[in-house]
Amino acid sequence: MAVFATQIALVIPRIVIPDDEPSVMLPSIAYEKLTPYDVRIYSDRPSGPEDLVDRIADAEIVINIRSTSRFTAEVLEKCPKLRLISIWGTGIDNVDLAAAKIRGIRVTNTPGVSAIAVAEHTLALIMAVAKQIVQVDQQVRQGKWPRAMVTQLRGKTLGLIGTGAIGREVAKLGRGIGMRVLAWTFHPQGDAAEWVGFDDVFRQSDVLSVHVRQSSDTVGLIRREHFELMKPRAIFINTARGGIVKEADLIEALATNRIAGAGLDVFANEPLRPGSPFYSLSNVVLTPHSAGITSETTEAGLALAIENVISFLAGQPMNVVV
């Protein structure tokens, strides 16, 4: 019996979670579904590509928690056993999809589970910037009693770049507070918003919010020429990915008051580096790439990431990217 048990154990694929920091997987209810499997979990993030390879070199399946783990062509080449990368979240910009496809590595993600949370966070950033909540709070704590002339949102125009699951939820919330909603997206369909051209979103919007996925088509998509189209009292919101925006151009627009303010949850480099120009800009509200982090979405997303693994092993449908 002991020999038989050993033989069975040998066919159980190794699953590695290389970057559970801060830890969300280990304390989750969803993690219990991995009990029957050979799982190795790391409670800190890899220090670099070589460290990542050391952690996953003998893995057949990787469950990726943090986008700071980058699955480049070079990393994938050194992991010949790897068959599946199951990503927690929707962003797949940390995986070289072309290299994964060539090597026959499937990539899955967890679309839709964080849409409501990110949309709510987007609305919170819009409110915080429009109502100058952070600045007014700081002044009151200093013993002042400011009378800020803040922005009323009802009747204003909310413009969306991208109308996927998150963008559509933001559109609902915008209409819910009485805003006109217009949008640009790569493949417009349905009545999620009033469809306009890319430049027209910037020209017409009082609040411009970004909701496209970062890819080769969207890196650096938004730059100086687009901020120059915006109204001087307009607000820029980004809860998608920092690389979609040319950050230096955004900083310039904010520092020169070309636009009124911004609410940012994502950045070109994360965490924000010491001395970042954003720290000195009083017209910006900053959050640490946390829009989708709620207890509800975390548990649902982890469960779906694990379900993708279980479905892969069973030969059943998954949320496949490549």
Side-chain angles (χ1 to χ4, degrees):
M1 290 294 292
V3 173
F4 178 74
T6 300
Q7 290 175 337
I8 292 297
L10 289 175
V11 302
I12 298 177
R14 167 154 289 176
I15 301 171
V16 176
I17 304 168
D19 51 3
D20 190 26
E21 183 203 17
S23 183
V24 291
M25 178 63 85
L26 198 57
S28 71
I29 297 172
Y31 185 64
E32 297 175 4
K33 296 180 181 179
L34 292 176
T35 302
Y37 301 96
D38 176 14
V39 181
R40 181 180 296 169
I41 186 166
Y42 291 85
S43 59
D44 61 348
R45 303 190 196 192
S47 59
E50 291 304 317
D51 191 15
L52 178 59
V53 170
D54 287 343
R55 297 181 183 201
I56 68 173
D58 62 349
E60 292 185 52
I61 296 169
V62 166
I63 300 177
N64 172 227
I65 303 297
R66 304 299 172 188
S67 60
T68 48
S69 293
R70 307 201 65 81
F71 299 87
T72 63
E74 293 75 18
V75 167
L76 298 179
E77 184 179 5
K78 296 175 182 178
C79 303
K81 296 181 181 180
L82 190 58
R83 297 191 291 145
L84 173 69
I85 301 173
S86 177
I87 295 173
W88 173 49
T90 56
I92 38 79
D93 48 296
N94 61 323
V95 181
D96 187 326
L97 297 179
K101 187 174 183 178
I102 289 171
R103 302 191 69 84
I105 300 169
R106 307 305 298 271
V107 179
T108 61
N109 65 353
T110 58
V113 294
S114 64
I116 291 174
V118 177
E120 289 180 353
H121 194 93
T122 299
L123 181 60
L125 287 174
I126 293 171
M127 289 289 188
V129 178
K131 306 302 181 183
Q132 300 180 28
I133 297 296
V134 175
Q135 301 97 310
V136 170
D137 173 84
Q138 291 172 344
Q139 291 177 48
V140 172
R141 291 172 188 274
Q142 294 167 5
K144 300 176 182 178
W145 205 250
R147 286 294 181 268
M149 191 64 71
V150 299
T151 299
Q152 180 170 298
L153 294 169
R154 185 181 180 88
K156 299 296 195 303
T157 298
L158 169 63
L160 306 176
I161 301 296
T163 54
I166 296 170
R168 291 194 298 271
E169 289 295 335
V170 174
K172 293 177 187 176
L173 294 176
R175 283 192 290 267
I177 60 173
M179 299 188 78
R180 170 197 178 202
V181 180
L182 52 79
W184 172 91
T185 192
F186 284 104
H187 305 290
Q189 55 183 330
D191 57 357
E194 176 186 337
W195 305 111
V196 297
F198 188 74
D199 287 355
D200 285 333
V201 179
F202 292 88
R203 288 193 185 98
Q204 297 186 45
S205 296
D206 298 293
V207 178
L208 190 287
S209 191
V210 182
H211 301 289
V212 289
R213 179 182 296 172
Q214 182 167 307
S215 68
S216 58
D217 294 325
T218 61
V219 170
L221 178 68
I222 299 170
R223 49 196 182 274
R224 177 180 289 107
E225 64 195 75
H226 303 111
F227 295 119
E228 289 176 350
L229 294 173
M230 294 177 71
K231 302 174 184 179
R233 295 303 304 163
I235 294 168
F236 181 81
I237 305 292
N238 191 2
T239 55
R241 282 292 189 273
I244 296 167
V245 182
K246 287 199 172 180
E247 208 161 77
D249 294 352
L250 172 59
I251 290 168
E252 180 185 20
L254 291 164
T256 61
N257 294 314
R258 180 64 195 79
I259 60 175
L264 306 174
D265 186 55
V266 290
F267 308 91
N269 295 290
E270 297 179 358
L272 271 178
R273 294 172 178 172
S276 168
F278 284 122
Y279 294 143
S280 61
L281 295 172
S282 61
N283 56 348
V284 183
V285 176
L286 309 172
T287 56
H289 201 152
S290 57
I293 302 176
T294 66
S295 58
E296 294 87 354
T297 60
T298 297
E299 194 64 48
L302 293 171
L304 185 52
I306 292 170
E307 285 300 323
N308 282 334
V309 170
I310 295 171
S311 295
F312 172 79
L313 294 173
Q316 297 175 350
M318 308 168 288
N319 296 284
V320 175
V321 179
V322 296

